[in-house]
Amino acid sequence: MSYSLCISQNKNEAIEIIYNVIKETQDTNHIYYEDSILTDYTYNEIHKSLTKRKYSSSLKPNDTNTFQLSRKELRYILAQLKLLRTNIWDANLFSNSEIIQADSAWAVLLNIRSIQKPQVYPQTKRVWKFIKPIVFRNGTCALVYYLNFCGNTCGSEEIAFYTRKGNDWEKIVRVKAAVF
């Protein structure tokens, strides 16, 4: 019996997963994202959150999902996470998107907010920071990390496992999340 952890780690699959995550939170008319690499702080936070192999979370009321990694899968994910420390995103990852430098994020946000006031939640533009999703289990599961912010006290951060459902990706377990 053969076993493969990863069928592909290609750019198109990563973009597809991230696009699904973004459209859960905002409209996709225009997407701003940072070009930055995985910082030491973010790397350490993700690594620390992945110290166990079994995860459970409630994504809906009265519904608890569980997800378990094998030792081999956990080692693979942690090794891939190390490699992502040098990943820098290309421009034009998505149609109607704009890449910005990490040190310009606040200036871009201030400009967005001055143009778009007042806005309702789904239309609020955000600046996104994400790592390339780590795909495993023959391309059926992925670890996703993102941070988005729409102001100095507005945004969210999440580490979650997703699974492929047909042509889409669905969140199955939230490992860590914060809203501010």
Side-chain angles (χ1 to χ4, degrees):
M1 176 177 189
S2 69
Y3 178 70
S4 173
L5 281 174
C6 181
I7 195 169
S8 68
Q9 194 67 14
N10 68 52
K11 180 180 170 183
N12 290 336
E13 187 172 47
I15 293 167
E16 176 186 308
I17 296 167
I18 293 166
Y19 188 79
N20 279 342
V21 170
I22 291 172
K23 73 180 184 181
E24 290 174 2
T25 305
Q26 75 169 50
D27 70 46
T28 53
N29 290 338
H30 199 88
I31 300 169
Y32 298 92
Y33 62 97
E34 286 188 10
D35 65 347
S36 63
I37 58 173
L38 184 60
T39 65
D40 288 340
Y41 175 79
T42 305
Y43 169 83
N44 290 331
E45 286 298 305
I46 297 170
H47 191 276
K48 187 169 43 174
S49 297
L50 295 174
T51 56
K52 55 186 179 176
R53 292 182 19 239
K54 187 173 184 178
Y55 306 91
S56 62
S57 70
S58 178
L59 300 176
K60 299 174 189 166
N62 304 319
D63 182 26
T64 302
N65 295 321
T66 60
F67 186 77
Q68 186 160 351
L69 296 170
S70 69
R71 284 183 177 86
K72 190 174 182 179
E73 288 172 330
L74 182 58
R75 281 193 306 271
Y76 172 78
I77 289 169
L78 294 176
Q80 290 298 306
L81 188 60
K82 269 187 187 177
L83 294 175
L84 292 177
R85 295 178 88 169
T86 58
N87 185 64
I88 297 177
W89 290 108
D90 296 330
N92 305 315
L93 277 182
F94 316 100
S95 61
N96 298 320
S97 68
E98 186 176 336
I99 191 168
I100 59 174
Q101 294 180 344
D103 59 359
S104 302
W106 287 113
V108 169
L109 270 177
L110 289 174
N111 186 43
I112 294 168
R113 291 183 71 140
S114 68
I115 294 169
Q116 295 189 330
K117 287 184 185 175
Q119 287 288 321
V120 293
Y121 178 74
Q123 284 76 37
T124 301
K125 295 297 180 195
R126 298 159 183 272
V127 173
W128 292 83
K129 181 175 187 165
F130 39 80
I131 65 168
K132 184 177 177 184
I134 300 171
V135 180
F136 58 103
R137 290 191 186 167
N138 293 323
T140 62
C141 294
L143 174 73
V144 174
Y145 165 82
Y146 73 83
L147 168 70
N148 73 59
F149 44 100
C150 51
N152 55 352
T153 58
C154 172
S156 62
E157 178 180 36
E158 185 170 87
I159 303 168
F161 287 104
Y162 281 69
T163 188
R164 183 180 286 282
K165 298 282 186 184
N167 291 331
D168 290 326
W169 288 86
E170 180 181 297
K171 185 182 337 179
I172 52 173
V173 171
R174 184 178 296 122
V175 176
K176 181 180 179 184
V179 176
F180 50 94

Coordinates of all heavy atoms in Angstrom, one line a residue, residues 21 40-52 54-59 65 67 143-148 155-162 171-180:
V21 N -11.3 31.6 0.9 CA -11.3 32.2 2.3 C -11.7 33.6 2.3 O -12.4 34.1 3.1 CB -9.9 32.0 2.9 CG1 -9.7 32.8 4.2 CG2 -9.6 30.5 3.2
D40 N 9.0 35.9 11.8 CA 9.3 35.0 12.9 C 8.2 34.9 13.9 O 7.9 33.8 14.3 CB 10.6 35.5 13.6 CG 11.8 35.3 12.7 OD1 11.8 34.5 11.8 OD2 12.9 36.0 13.0
Y41 N 7.6 36.0 14.2 CA 6.5 36.0 15.2 C 5.3 35.1 14.7 O 4.8 34.2 15.4 CB 6.0 37.4 15.5 CG 4.8 37.4 16.4 CD1 4.9 37.2 17.8 CD2 3.5 37.5 15.9 CE1 3.8 37.2 18.6 CE2 2.4 37.5 16.7 CZ 2.6 37.4 18.1 OH 1.5 37.3 18.9
T42 N 4.9 35.3 13.4 CA 3.8 34.6 12.9 C 4.1 33.1 12.8 O 3.3 32.2 13.1 CB 3.3 35.1 11.5 OG1 3.1 36.5 11.7 CG2 2.1 34.4 11.0
Y43 N 5.3 32.8 12.3 CA 5.8 31.4 12.2 C 5.7 30.7 13.6 O 5.2 29.6 13.7 CB 7.3 31.4 11.7 CG 7.9 30.0 11.8 CD1 7.7 29.0 10.8 CD2 8.7 29.7 12.9 CE1 8.2 27.8 10.9 CE2 9.3 28.4 13.0 CZ 9.0 27.5 12.0 OH 9.6 26.2 12.1
N44 N 6.2 31.4 14.6 CA 6.2 30.8 16.0 C 4.8 30.6 16.5 O 4.5 29.6 17.1 CB 7.0 31.7 16.9 CG 8.5 31.6 16.6 OD1 9.0 30.6 16.1 ND2 9.2 32.7 16.9
E45 N 3.9 31.5 16.2 CA 2.5 31.4 16.6 C 1.8 30.2 15.9 O 1.1 29.5 16.6 CB 1.7 32.7 16.3 CG 2.0 33.8 17.3 CD 1.7 33.5 18.8 OE1 0.6 33.1 19.1 OE2 2.6 33.5 19.6
I46 N 2.0 30.1 14.6 CA 1.4 29.0 13.9 C 2.0 27.6 14.4 O 1.3 26.7 14.7 CB 1.6 29.1 12.4 CG1 0.9 30.3 11.9 CG2 1.1 27.9 11.7 CD1 1.2 30.7 10.4
H47 N 3.4 27.6 14.5 CA 4.0 26.4 15.0 C 3.5 26.0 16.4 O 3.2 24.8 16.6 CB 5.6 26.7 15.0 CG 6.4 25.4 15.2 ND1 6.6 24.9 16.5 CD2 7.0 24.6 14.3 CE1 7.4 23.8 16.4 NE2 7.6 23.6 15.1
K48 N 3.4 27.0 17.3 CA 2.9 26.7 18.6 C 1.5 26.2 18.6 O 1.1 25.3 19.4 CB 3.0 28.0 19.5 CG 2.7 27.8 20.9 CD 3.0 29.0 21.8 CE 2.6 30.3 21.2 NZ 2.8 31.4 22.1
S49 N 0.7 26.7 17.7 CA -0.7 26.2 17.6 C -0.9 24.8 17.1 O -1.9 24.2 17.2 CB -1.5 27.2 16.7 OG -1.6 28.5 17.3
L50 N 0.2 24.3 16.4 CA 0.1 23.0 15.8 C 0.9 22.0 16.6 O 1.4 21.0 16.0 CB 0.7 23.1 14.4 CG -0.1 23.9 13.4 CD1 0.7 24.0 12.1 CD2 -1.5 23.3 13.2
T51 N 1.0 22.1 17.9 CA 1.8 21.2 18.7 C 1.0 19.9 19.0 O 1.7 18.9 19.4 CB 2.2 21.8 20.0 OG1 1.0 22.3 20.7 CG2 3.2 23.0 19.8
K52 N -0.2 19.9 18.8 CA -1.0 18.6 19.0 C -1.4 18.1 17.7 O -1.3 18.7 16.7 CB -2.1 18.8 20.0 CG -3.1 19.9 19.6 CD -4.1 20.2 20.6 CE -5.1 21.3 20.2 NZ -6.1 21.5 21.1
K54 N -4.6 16.4 17.4 CA -6.0 16.3 17.3 C -6.6 17.7 17.6 O -6.3 18.3 18.6 CB -6.6 15.3 18.3 CG -8.1 15.0 18.2 CD -8.5 13.9 19.0 CE -10.0 13.6 18.8 NZ -10.5 12.5 19.5
Y55 N -7.5 18.1 16.8 CA -8.1 19.4 16.9 C -9.6 19.3 16.9 O -10.2 18.5 16.2 CB -7.6 20.3 15.8 CG -6.1 20.4 15.7 CD1 -5.5 19.5 14.8 CD2 -5.4 21.3 16.4 CE1 -4.1 19.5 14.7 CE2 -4.0 21.3 16.3 CZ -3.4 20.4 15.5 OH -2.0 20.4 15.4
S56 N -10.3 20.2 17.6 CA -11.7 20.2 17.6 C -12.2 21.7 17.7 O -11.5 22.5 18.4 CB -12.4 19.3 18.6 OG -12.0 19.8 19.9
S57 N -13.3 22.0 17.1 CA -13.8 23.3 17.2 C -15.3 23.3 16.8 O -15.7 22.4 16.1 CB -13.0 24.4 16.4 OG -13.3 24.1 15.0
S58 N -16.0 24.3 17.2 CA -17.4 24.5 16.9 C -17.5 25.6 15.8 O -17.2 26.7 16.1 CB -18.2 24.8 18.1 OG -19.5 25.0 17.7
L59 N -17.9 25.2 14.6 CA -18.0 26.2 13.6 C -19.5 26.7 13.5 O -19.8 27.8 13.0 CB -17.6 25.7 12.2 CG -16.1 25.2 12.1 CD1 -15.8 24.6 10.8 CD2 -15.2 26.4 12.4
N65 N -16.7 19.8 15.4 CA -15.9 19.0 14.4 C -14.6 18.6 15.0 O -14.0 19.4 15.8 CB -15.7 19.8 13.1 CG -17.0 20.1 12.4 OD1 -17.9 19.3 12.3 ND2 -17.1 21.3 11.9
F67 N -10.6 16.9 14.0 CA -9.7 16.6 12.9 C -8.4 16.1 13.5 O -7.9 16.7 14.5 CB -9.4 17.9 12.1 CG -8.6 17.7 10.9 CD1 -9.2 17.1 9.7 CD2 -7.3 18.0 10.9 CE1 -8.4 17.0 8.6 CE2 -6.5 17.8 9.7 CZ -7.1 17.3 8.6
L143 N -4.0 23.2 5.3 CA -3.8 24.1 6.5 C -3.8 25.5 5.9 O -3.0 25.8 5.0 CB -2.6 23.8 7.3 CG -2.3 24.8 8.4 CD1 -3.3 24.6 9.6 CD2 -0.9 24.7 8.9
V144 N -4.6 26.4 6.5 CA -4.7 27.8 6.0 C -4.4 28.7 7.2 O -5.0 28.6 8.3 CB -6.1 28.1 5.4 CG1 -6.3 29.5 5.1 CG2 -6.3 27.2 4.2
Y145 N -3.6 29.8 6.9 CA -3.4 30.9 7.9 C -3.7 32.2 7.2 O -3.2 32.4 6.0 CB -2.0 30.9 8.5 CG -1.7 32.2 9.2 CD1 -2.2 32.4 10.5 CD2 -1.1 33.3 8.5 CE1 -2.0 33.6 11.1 CE2 -0.9 34.5 9.2 CZ -1.4 34.7 10.5 OH -1.2 35.9 11.1
Y146 N -4.4 33.1 7.8 CA -4.6 34.4 7.3 C -4.7 35.4 8.4 O -5.1 35.1 9.5 CB -5.8 34.5 6.3 CG -7.1 34.5 7.0 CD1 -7.7 35.6 7.6 CD2 -7.9 33.3 7.1 CE1 -8.9 35.6 8.2 CE2 -9.1 33.3 7.8 CZ -9.6 34.4 8.3 OH -10.8 34.4 9.0
L147 N -4.4 36.6 8.0 CA -4.7 37.8 8.9 C -5.2 38.9 7.9 O -4.7 39.0 6.8 CB -3.3 38.3 9.5 CG -3.4 39.6 10.2 CD1 -4.2 39.6 11.5 CD2 -1.9 40.1 10.5
N148 N -6.3 39.5 8.4 CA -6.8 40.6 7.6 C -7.2 41.7 8.5 O -7.5 41.5 9.7 CB -8.0 40.2 6.7 CG -9.3 40.0 7.5 OD1 -9.8 40.9 8.2 ND2 -9.8 38.8 7.5
G155 N -10.4 43.6 12.3 CA -9.7 42.6 11.5 C -9.9 41.2 12.2 O -10.6 41.1 13.2
S156 N -9.3 40.3 11.6 CA -9.3 38.9 12.1 C -8.1 38.1 11.7 O -7.4 38.5 10.8 CB -10.6 38.2 11.7 OG -10.6 38.1 10.3
E157 N -7.9 37.0 12.4 CA -6.8 36.2 12.2 C -7.2 34.7 12.4 O -8.1 34.5 13.3 CB -5.6 36.5 13.1 CG -4.4 35.6 13.0 CD -3.3 36.0 14.0 OE1 -3.6 36.4 15.1 OE2 -2.1 35.9 13.6
E158 N -6.8 33.8 11.6 CA -7.2 32.4 11.8 C -6.2 31.4 11.3 O -5.6 31.7 10.3 CB -8.6 32.3 11.1 CG -9.2 30.9 11.3 CD -10.6 30.9 10.8 OE1 -10.8 30.6 9.6 OE2 -11.6 31.1 11.6
I159 N -6.2 30.3 12.0 CA -5.5 29.1 11.5 C -6.6 28.0 11.5 O -7.3 27.8 12.5 CB -4.4 28.7 12.5 CG1 -3.4 29.8 12.7 CG2 -3.7 27.4 12.0 CD1 -2.4 29.5 13.9
A160 N -6.7 27.4 10.3 CA -7.8 26.4 10.2 C -7.4 25.3 9.2 O -6.6 25.5 8.3 CB -9.1 27.1 9.7
F161 N -8.1 24.2 9.3 CA -8.0 23.1 8.3 C -9.2 23.2 7.4 O -10.3 23.4 7.9 CB -7.9 21.8 9.0 CG -6.6 21.5 9.7 CD1 -6.5 21.6 11.1 CD2 -5.5 21.2 9.0 CE1 -5.3 21.4 11.7 CE2 -4.3 21.0 9.6 CZ -4.2 21.1 10.9
Y162 N -9.0 23.0 6.1 CA -10.0 23.0 5.1 C -10.0 21.7 4.4 O -8.9 21.0 4.4 CB -9.8 24.1 4.1 CG -10.2 25.5 4.5 CD1 -9.5 26.1 5.6 CD2 -11.3 26.1 4.0 CE1 -9.9 27.4 6.0 CE2 -11.7 27.4 4.4 CZ -11.0 28.0 5.4 OH -11.4 29.3 5.8
K171 N -14.1 25.0 5.3 CA -13.4 24.9 6.6 C -14.1 23.8 7.5 O -15.3 23.8 7.6 CB -13.6 26.3 7.3 CG -12.9 26.4 8.6 CD -13.0 27.7 9.4 CE -13.5 28.8 8.5 NZ -13.7 30.1 9.2
I172 N -13.2 23.0 8.1 CA -13.7 21.9 8.9 C -13.4 22.1 10.4 O -14.2 21.8 11.2 CB -13.3 20.5 8.4 CG1 -11.8 20.4 8.2 CG2 -14.0 20.2 7.1 CD1 -11.3 19.1 7.9
V173 N -12.2 22.6 10.6 CA -11.8 22.9 12.0 C -11.0 24.1 12.1 O -10.1 24.3 11.4 CB -11.0 21.7 12.6 CG1 -10.4 22.0 14.0 CG2 -11.9 20.4 12.7
R174 N -11.3 24.9 13.1 CA -10.6 26.2 13.4 C -9.6 25.8 14.5 O -10.0 25.4 15.6 CB -11.6 27.2 13.9 CG -10.9 28.6 14.1 CD -11.9 29.6 14.5 NE -12.9 29.9 13.4 CZ -14.2 29.7 13.5 NH1 -14.8 29.3 14.7 NH2 -15.0 30.0 12.5
V175 N -8.3 26.0 14.3 CA -7.3 25.7 15.2 C -7.1 26.9 16.2 O -7.1 26.7 17.4 CB -5.9 25.4 14.6 CG1 -4.8 25.2 15.6 CG2 -6.0 24.2 13.7
K176 N -7.1 28.1 15.6 CA -7.0 29.3 16.4 C -7.6 30.5 15.7 O -7.5 30.5 14.4 CB -5.5 29.6 16.7 CG -5.2 30.8 17.5 CD -3.7 31.0 17.7 CE -3.4 32.3 18.5 NZ -2.0 32.5 18.6
A177 N -8.3 31.3 16.4 CA -8.9 32.5 15.7 C -8.9 33.7 16.7 O -9.0 33.5 17.9 CB -10.3 32.1 15.3
A178 N -8.9 34.8 16.1 CA -9.0 36.1 16.9 C -9.7 37.1 16.0 O -9.5 37.2 14.8 CB -7.7 36.6 17.3
V179 N -10.6 37.9 16.6 CA -11.3 39.0 16.0 C -11.0 40.2 16.8 O -11.0 40.2 18.0 CB -12.8 38.7 15.9 CG1 -13.5 39.9 15.3 CG2 -13.1 37.5 15.1
F180 N -10.6 41.3 16.1 CA -10.3 42.6 16.8 C -10.9 43.7 16.0 O -11.4 43.6 15.0 CB -8.8 42.7 17.0 CG -8.0 42.5 15.7 CD1 -7.7 43.6 14.9 CD2 -7.6 41.3 15.3 CE1 -6.9 43.4 13.8 CE2 -6.8 41.1 14.2 CZ -6.5 42.2 13.4

